[in-house]
């Protein structure tokens, strides 16, 4: 093979200088057949050495191969680069250059990947096991494209599946997904096959040895499930759900879905899971998946919902707020400076002080935002009523129309702030239903004052005396009517 410089001269003399092949061969002292060969090539040949001699790498090849084989057992994003391997070799005394190391590693990967693995078909008993995995999908919610975590369940025997989307991939979401899945399947299988995320596996040991997450372990103990964790980077051990993730991504999430809320998306996914049950069963086209699922249900354990939650110890700041997952939630003012316990589920955050529940909020996933309950600040308003006008908890307070009308009337009068705080305190003490009813009655009667509303509330809440049922008691000696007593009156003078 000629060097690239000679090939370039041959092509330039022929195409640019218009010399014949004979003249080029004579000028460059080449055979005419060689000149003809390189002029007829459609692509420029690239010179590659077949064998690279790397004597300095020789003593280190065995250790490097062992290290590379260990790396192949890890997921791709956890494998070290060729530069890191080169640095490791240098620390062992390697004196060669980086290119020989990178070429060796590249050739090792090519040879390793050329070995095709062998898979053994599997058959699962009825009602015995299911497979679980997470996937990441992009969906448009309220006009904004967000990345969701989708929980995938698949029964290994009947091939029925269940999917549900979440904004996070945390323990409370994992628990909620299992509750919905087992409710949909109509029972709990005996065994679950999982990957190794932190929400499930706390530490990976040798072989199948695992230290499971405590919250996950409590959940499977409740459902009486035997958890089985796959080998890292061995997706074929739960191949059904791995294939399901790829299939449903193309079938459900492409083109991109758009919904007004996450609940609407999950309702859509549930309808797709129900429709799946009408399809023929893979192993017997004369049966539907739903018919096989009904047979599996006889082998399931009864589904009992698991009320698991995540617990966090949080400190209440001077604004009577707690911070969880970059979102702030209000608590009653008397807890400022104290530590409270938050019980977090997939959709609710409940706050406890001691053994008493002091408040609860719907779970929010908006970063650097605040969820207020204005009633939490009433005790502070009694001392600072002026904060009612521009206080952040009260600016967007959705008050009923009758209360807004009373607010306009009270705030236009002297000390209207204090009067409005008293009105809100009455509503908090007696309940919104009674407070709103009393406010409407006060407006109808033309007496929009706090005193009138208090009077109406007391009358509405006044205990009623139950009417006693009269019973007929028979007399042993019934009375006898005698008119002779009236005759005595006529005779008197």
């Amino acid at each position: 093979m000629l060097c690239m410089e000679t090939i370039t001269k041959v092509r330039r003399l022929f195409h640019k200088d218009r010399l014949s092949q004979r003249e080029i061969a004579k000028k460059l002292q080449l055979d005419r057949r060689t000149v003809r060969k390189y002029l007829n090539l459609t692509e420029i040949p690239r010179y590659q050495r077949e064998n690279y001699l790397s004597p300095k790498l020789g003593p280190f090849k065995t250790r490097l191969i062992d290290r590379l084989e260990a790396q192949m057992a890890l997921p791709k994003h956890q494998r070290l680069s060729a530069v890191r391997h080169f640095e490791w070799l240098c620390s062992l005394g390697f004196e060669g250059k980086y290119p020989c190391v990178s070429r060796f590693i590249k050739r090792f990967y090519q040879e390793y990947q050329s070995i095709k693995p062998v898979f053994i078909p599997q058959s699962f008993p009825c009602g015995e096991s299911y497979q679980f995995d997470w996937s990441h999908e992009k969906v448009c919610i309220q006009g904004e494209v967000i990345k969701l975590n989708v929980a995938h369940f698949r029964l290994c025997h009947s091939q029925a599946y269940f999917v549900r989307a979440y904004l996070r991939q945390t323990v409370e979401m994992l628990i909620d997904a299992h509750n919905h899945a087992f409710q949909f399947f109509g029972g709990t299988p005996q065994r679950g096959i999982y990957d190794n995320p932190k929400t499930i596996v706390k530490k990976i040991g040798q072989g199948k040895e695992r230290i499971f997450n405590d919250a996950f372990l409590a959940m499977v103990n409740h459902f009486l499930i035997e958890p089985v964790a796959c080998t890292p980077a061995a997706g074929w051990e739960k191949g059904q759900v791995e294939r399901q993730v790829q299939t449903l991504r193309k079938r459900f999430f492409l083109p991109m879905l758009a919904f007004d809320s996450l609940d609407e998306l999950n309702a859509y996914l549930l309808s797709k899971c129900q429709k799946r049950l009408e399809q023929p069963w893979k192993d017997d086209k004369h049966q539907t998946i739903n018919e096989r699922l009904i047979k599996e249900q006889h082998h399931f354990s009864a589904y009992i919902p698991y009320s698991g939650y995540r617990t966090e110890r949080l400190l209440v700041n001077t604004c009577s707020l707690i911070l969880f997952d970059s979102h702030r939630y209000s608590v009653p003012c008397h807890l400022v400076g104290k530590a409270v316990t938050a019980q977090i589920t997939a959709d609710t955050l409940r706050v406890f002080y001691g053994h008493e529940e002091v408040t609860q909020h719907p779970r929010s996933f908006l970063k650097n935002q605040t969820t207020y309950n204005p009633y939490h600040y009433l005790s502070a308003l009694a001392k600072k009523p002026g904060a009612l006008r521009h206080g952040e908890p009260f600016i967007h307070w959705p008050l009923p129309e009758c209360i807004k009308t009373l607010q306009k009337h009270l705030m236009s009068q002297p000390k209207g702030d204090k009067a409005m705080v008293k009105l809100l305190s009455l509503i908090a003490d007696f309940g919104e239903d009674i407070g709103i009813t009393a406010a409407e009655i006060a407006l109808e009667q033309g007496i929009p004052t706090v005193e009138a509303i208090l009077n109406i509330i007391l009358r509405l809440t006044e205990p009623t005396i139950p009417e006693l049922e009269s019973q007929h008691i028979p007399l042993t000696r019934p009375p006898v009517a005698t008119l002779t007593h009236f005759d005595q009156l006529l005779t008197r003078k």
Side-chain angles (χ1 to χ4, degrees):
M1 180 182 288
L2 299 180
C3 66
M4 288 300 299
E5 185 178 356
T6 305
I7 296 172
T8 304
K9 287 180 180 180
V10 170
R11 294 175 59 83
R12 185 173 65 248
L13 291 173
F14 182 79
H15 292 288
K16 200 167 185 179
D17 297 343
R18 302 299 179 182
L19 297 181
S20 65
Q21 295 181 17
R22 182 188 296 272
E23 291 172 334
I24 295 172
K26 185 178 180 179
K27 185 173 182 177
L28 299 179
Q29 298 182 357
L30 299 173
D31 190 277
R32 280 184 293 171
R33 289 173 296 183
T34 304
V35 174
R36 187 184 307 113
K37 171 186 173 182
Y38 286 104
L39 287 176
N40 292 334
L41 289 176
T42 57
E43 295 182 0
I44 299 176
R46 297 181 180 274
Y47 174 70
Q48 291 183 347
R49 293 173 58 184
E50 295 183 0
N51 296 317
Y52 288 92
L53 299 177
S54 50
K56 294 183 179 180
L57 184 60
F60 301 93
K61 281 186 179 180
T62 304
R63 299 178 67 178
L64 179 58
I65 290 173
D66 293 340
R67 184 178 171 93
L68 292 174
E69 289 178 347
Q71 290 283 302
M72 292 302 294
L74 300 176
K76 287 185 177 181
H77 67 277
Q78 295 183 9
R79 297 174 190 171
L80 298 177
S81 63
V83 176
R84 296 294 299 277
H85 290 298
F86 172 70
E87 294 173 350
W88 173 73
L89 289 172
C90 291
S91 67
L92 298 178
F94 175 66
E95 297 179 353
K97 300 298 181 182
Y98 170 74
C100 71
V101 177
S102 63
R103 284 193 300 266
F104 181 83
I105 293 174
K106 183 178 181 180
R107 190 162 60 250
F108 172 84
Y109 283 144
Q110 290 174 349
E111 293 175 358
Y112 191 92
Q113 292 175 356
S114 64
I115 302 173
K116 299 297 182 182
V118 178
F119 300 103
I120 301 175
Q122 306 221 341
S123 178
F124 295 89
C126 185
E128 192 260 351
S129 57
Y130 66 93
Q131 297 177 3
F132 172 83
D133 200 6
W134 288 101
S135 74
H136 302 283
E137 313 296 343
K138 288 186 178 180
V139 180
C140 183
I141 302 293
Q142 294 183 344
E144 181 182 357
V145 177
I146 58 177
K147 191 175 183 180
L148 296 177
N149 297 273
V150 180
H152 290 257
F153 292 82
R154 187 180 184 91
L155 295 178
C156 297
H157 177 76
S158 65
Q159 283 102 44
Y161 59 63
F162 177 81
V163 291
R164 186 173 177 84
Y166 295 91
L167 290 168
R168 297 282 188 277
Q169 196 181 121
T170 54
V171 172
E172 60 271 20
M173 308 301 175
L174 184 71
I175 293 172
D176 186 75
H178 280 74
N179 275 320
H180 282 90
F182 295 150
Q183 183 180 13
F184 177 78
F185 292 143
T188 307
Q190 302 171 18
R191 194 164 62 101
I193 304 173
Y194 296 89
D195 216 332
N196 297 275
K198 293 295 184 182
T199 52
I200 296 176
V201 176
K202 189 159 52 176
K203 185 179 180 181
I204 301 175
Q206 293 183 353
K208 292 294 183 180
E209 293 182 3
R210 299 290 186 273
I211 298 178
F212 289 101
N213 184 293
D214 293 339
F216 171 76
L217 208 55
M219 181 192 71
V220 296
N221 285 339
H222 171 82
F223 289 124
L224 301 177
I225 295 171
E226 177 192 355
V228 178
C230 296
T231 305
W236 57 85
E237 294 186 8
K238 51 180 179 63
Q240 289 192 26
V241 75
E242 290 281 351
R243 193 182 310 113
Q244 173 182 308
V245 168
Q246 302 301 325
T247 302
L248 298 191
R249 176 173 293 147
K250 297 177 182 178
R251 188 176 297 174
F252 293 171
F253 297 97
L254 292 177
M256 186 182 297
L257 298 175
F259 292 93
D260 291 333
S261 67
L262 187 63
D263 291 336
E264 290 186 12
L265 169 61
N266 283 323
Y268 166 79
L269 295 176
L270 178 61
S271 67
K272 291 293 185 180
C273 296
Q274 292 169 340
K275 192 173 181 180
R276 160 76 174 177
L277 299 179
E278 303 170 3
Q279 298 179 4
W281 187 42
K282 182 179 178 180
D283 296 336
D284 185 358
K285 302 298 182 182
H286 298 290
Q287 298 185 64
T288 63
I289 293 176
N290 188 49
E291 291 174 347
R292 294 308 304 179
L293 176 60
I294 292 174
K295 293 182 179 180
E296 276 203 292
Q297 289 173 351
H298 296 296
H299 301 272
F300 288 163
S301 300
Y303 165 64
I304 301 174
Y306 177 58
S307 58
Y309 48 81
R310 178 180 171 187
T311 303
E312 293 284 343
R313 188 81 169 167
L314 304 172
L315 183 65
V316 183
N317 64 14
T318 54
C319 294
S320 195
L321 300 172
I322 57 175
L323 179 66
F324 174 74
D325 197 15
S326 300
H327 190 90
R328 295 177 292 270
Y329 300 88
S330 67
V331 297
C333 287
H334 68 275
L335 297 175
V336 168
K338 298 179 181 179
V340 296
T341 302
Q343 292 182 358
I344 304 104
T345 62
D347 53 6
T348 307
L349 184 141
R350 302 169 64 193
V351 182
F352 289 81
Y353 181 68
H355 298 286
E356 179 186 1
E357 181 178 351
V358 292
T359 187
Q360 72 175 37
H361 292 278
R363 182 88 178 268
S364 179
F365 300 92
L366 299 176
K367 301 288 186 180
N368 301 318
Q369 300 291 326
T370 307
T371 299
Y372 288 109
N373 182 347
Y375 289 112
H376 291 162
Y377 296 88
L378 287 181
S379 60
L381 276 179
K383 300 178 181 179
K384 302 176 180 179
L388 185 62
R389 295 179 182 269
H390 303 292
E392 191 172 316
F394 318 109
I395 294 176
H396 303 290
W397 194 354
L399 292 171
E401 288 299 323
C402 60
I403 304 299
K404 290 182 179 179
T405 304
L406 283 169
Q407 184 179 15
K408 291 179 181 178
H409 179 79
L410 294 175
M411 298 293 276
S412 62
Q413 299 177 359
K415 298 184 179 181
D417 295 333
K418 290 186 177 182
M420 186 61 194
V421 173
K422 290 181 180 179
L423 173 61
L424 295 174
S425 299
L426 290 176
I427 296 174
D429 293 339
F430 292 95
E432 288 191 5
D433 293 338
I434 294 178
I436 292 171
T437 302
E440 291 174 348
I441 294 174
L443 290 174
E444 289 176 1
Q445 295 178 354
I447 46 175
T449 62
V450 178
E451 290 75 12
I453 294 173
L454 175 59
N455 183 273
I456 295 171
I457 289 175
L458 293 176
R459 284 191 281 120
L460 291 174
T461 57
E462 183 179 359
T464 57
I465 301 174
E467 295 183 359
L468 298 177
E469 296 182 1
S470 59
Q471 296 181 355
H472 177 69
I473 302 175
L475 299 177
T476 54
R477 295 175 61 186
V480 179
T482 56
L483 301 179
T484 56
H485 298 290
F486 294 97
D487 294 338
Q488 295 177 0
L489 296 173
L490 295 175
T491 57
R492 288 182 180 180
K493 294 182 180 180

